[in-house]
Each structure stands twice: as C-alpha cells, then as structure tokens.
Amino acid sequence: GNITKYIDPGYLNTVSGHTRVSFVDGEQGILEYRGYSIKELAEKSTFIEVAYLLIYEDLPTIQQLEEFSKKIMNHSSLPIELRNIMSCFKNDAHPMGMFISAMSGLSTFHPEANPALAGQSCYDDPYKRDKHISNILGISPTISAAAYRHKNQKEFNNPRDGGYIENFFYMLHHEKGTDYQPHPVLVKALDVMFILHAEHGFSCSAAAVRHLASANTDVYNCIAGGAAALYGTLHGGANEAVLRMLMKIGSKANVPAFIEKVKNKEEKLMGFGHRMYKCYEIRPKIVKTIALKVFEVCGREELFDVALEIEQIALKDPYFIKRRLFPNIDLFSGVVYKAMGFPPEFCPVLFAMPRLVSWLAHWSEFLDDPNRKITRPQQVYTGHRNRKYVPQCDIK
Ligand code: SDX
C-alpha cells in the first residue's frame, strides 16, 4: 500500500503515546517535571525528593520521603555473585559496559520480576512494583562505585547509612582505616546535577525502555536496555564524547580550526544540538553555575574555557544559527565531573544513575497505559524477491 509516505526516520514526527511525567517545550525551552519547573526543583529540591515526584507524580510528605529514602538505602548492597562477576571484567573495562551487564545480571536474582516465570500480572501489585523500583535505585550507586573502583582493583567498601549522594561518594573514595568525609559542596553539586539529569520525556533511552516494556520484558532488562541506549555518544554518552573532544582540541586557540572542521562535516560538535530544543535550554546554563561552585573546591578545570570558547564562537556562527544548534546538557557536564576527579569514561554512568528515575517512571506509566501495545513498526521492503536456491557449488 502507500505506507511509504509514512516513513519517519528517528520518529521525528511520530508520537508514540501519552505521558504525564515531564513537559518539554523545545521552542520556548520549557522543562517541567510533573508540572514543576526544572529551575525551581534544581534550586529548592533534592535528587531523592525529585525521584519520588517523578515516579509517584506528587511531591512526598516528610514521612513518605523518609520511607522512600530508607527503602532505597536498604537495597544498596550488591549480591556477592554479582560483585564477583563484576570483578572478572578486564582491568580497563568501560564502566558503562559493567553497569549495563550488572543491571541485566540483576534480573537473574529476581525470578519474581520475570513475567515468563512469575506470570503476566507480576507487576500489577503496586507493592511489588515499588520493591523493584527501590531495589534498582538502591543498588545503582553500589554498582557504579564497584565499576569505578574496578580499574585500580581497590577493595570495595560496603554502603553505610547517610544521604544518597554522600553514601555514593563514600563508596567511591573511602579507604579502609581512613575517615573519609565527602565535601558538602561537591555533594550538593552532584545532587543538583542528578536533578538536572533525572528525566526528559521520550528521550532515546526512555523510549527504549517503553519499547522493551511493551514486550513484557522484566524491569531489570528494560532498565539495562535504557542504559544501553543512553550509552550512545549521540545521547547520554555525549558527556564522555564532549570531554574527549575538548581534550583533542586542547586549547582555546585551536577552537576556530575545529569549528571549521565541523562546518565541513569532518567533525560533529558534541554537546551541541537537540531533537527538541531549538533554543538555548536551561539545563546547561545551570550546569555552568554548578561548575563554578565545584571549581572553588577542586580548582578550575581548563577544558571549561575550551567549552566556553566553542559556545562563544558557535552561537554567533551562521552554520549553527541556521540549524538552530545550541549547547545541550552534555556540553559542560563532563567538565564538572572531570573537575570532581571522575575520568571521562565514568561520565555516562553519572548520567545513567539519575536517569534510572526517568526509566522507572516511564516503565511504570507504560504498564498502566490502557493503549499499550507491543512496539512493532512497519517496514518498506526494498530487497530481493522470489530467488531460487542454487547451491554455490553448482554456480558456474
Ligand atoms: C541528550 O532526547 C533528549 O532529550 C536527549 C537529552 C536528554 O535529556 O535525554 O537531552 C540528552 O542526548 C542530548 C544530546 C547529546 N548529543 C550530542 O551532543 C551529540 C551531538 N548532537 C547531534 O548528534 C544531534 O544534535 C542530536 C543527536 C542531539 C539531535 O539530532 P537530530 O535531531 O536528529 O538532528 P539532525 O542530526 O537531523 O541535525 C540537523 C542538522 C544537520 O545538518 P544538515 O544535514 O541539515 O546540514 O544539524 C546538524 C546536522 O548535520 N547538526 C550538527 C549537530 N547536531 C545537528 N552539526 C554539527 N554538530 C552537531 N552536534
């Protein structure tokens, strides 16, 4: 039939469903989580409170927040078998590959989350859904810290009670016999970074989670699939790609030559452009303010000046103006993480950790969607037809 005319690569003009999780207006640069502006949440809320809001639709009472936090912290220890699996990776294994493997591996500890074993209705009971949600949010900092420490084979430290971000820092950096205390400015900085990265509608990774959920895949493998989509350098992996791009450029003086390569399509300007935003969105602006606070504690990261120079030049260049290309959330985020001491390859993990909240909110919302159907797009076939099989040896 005439389906050809409906082909929509990248789903630029395809709406796949309704959502109540966040509102994005790309023309105006508006981003609201469950109706609250991202600016206000970044200024006044905390990551755990925003996680509750995104997953359960309303801001929590003090008691609800305490229960939610406690449930998450109670799920933060890693099964020993999973820790052993993670310890077997190559010494230079990319942390995101470890994160995705561990998240998928976690599914093998939860047969009750597997519709194939526990039945199609295993997520109908909100209590069961909440258990997996807090399990995934609780174990993610532990998996991430294990991936971070893997490279230098440092003895792994168990979590301890404390705030979500403090506990993460403790697992990353505490050494036996020392009294490590995370710096409060860095804890606050990472908390706000996590709020900014927590959700963004039907992004490539959230759409991937919905795609997998539509097949009734268990939640752990839906999340692993979302993390795999996020890992791409065009999506959340862009924060690592930006850092490597900035390192390759090296200094402000080399920026004009690099911009010329981008305009000749020899390079892509990582950290620029967005499917929805055709204006300078607010998240990178907030990331820049966080960068300055982190620099006061950790010292100024020189790649920040290279990124600022890129922004300065590109925003005035007709090539970028014509294509409505602006900085996106990834342009400065890697610089903040590098200043805090994280290597480039850990940046996608620092995107995945908060973005788990989005994936869980979309997973749960999709399960309740009355119009949910298994995702199976149409295709237009352009290949061979009706070929007769002739064994290769018979062909003269
Ligand atoms: C995130 O969806 C989300 O919400 C994502 C995210 C979230 O919170 O989940 O915001 C997080 O993933 C941010 C994006 C991070 N990615 C990067 O920084 C990688 C670089 N950006 C590009 O790959 C690109 O801009 C995308 C992938 C972000 C968007 O791609 P689109 O919407 O498919 O746009 P396009 O590739 O069709 O580009 C339109 C034009 C093209 O030029 P022409 O072919 O018309 O000449 O703009 C050009 C592109 O070549 N272009 C770029 C460019 N991005 C687009 N040219 C140079 N450098 C770029 N970065």
Side-chain angles (χ1 to χ4, degrees), residues 269-274 277 279-285 288 307 310-312 314-315 324-332:
L269 190 53
M270 306 313 276
F272 255 72
H274 197 279
Y277 289 120
C279 65
Y280 197 149
E281 59 154 313
I282 189 167
R283 295 176 300 173
K285 290 176 182 166
K288 276 202 277 192
I310 289 173
E311 174 190 41
Q312 186 81 29
L315 290 179
R324 301 209 289 174
L325 300 174
F326 295 88
N328 59 46
I329 191 167
D330 294 303
L331 182 61
F332 302 106

Side-chain angles (χ1 to χ4, degrees), residues 1 57 68 188 227 257 341:
E57 190 153 11
F68 183 58
K188 178 64 181 166

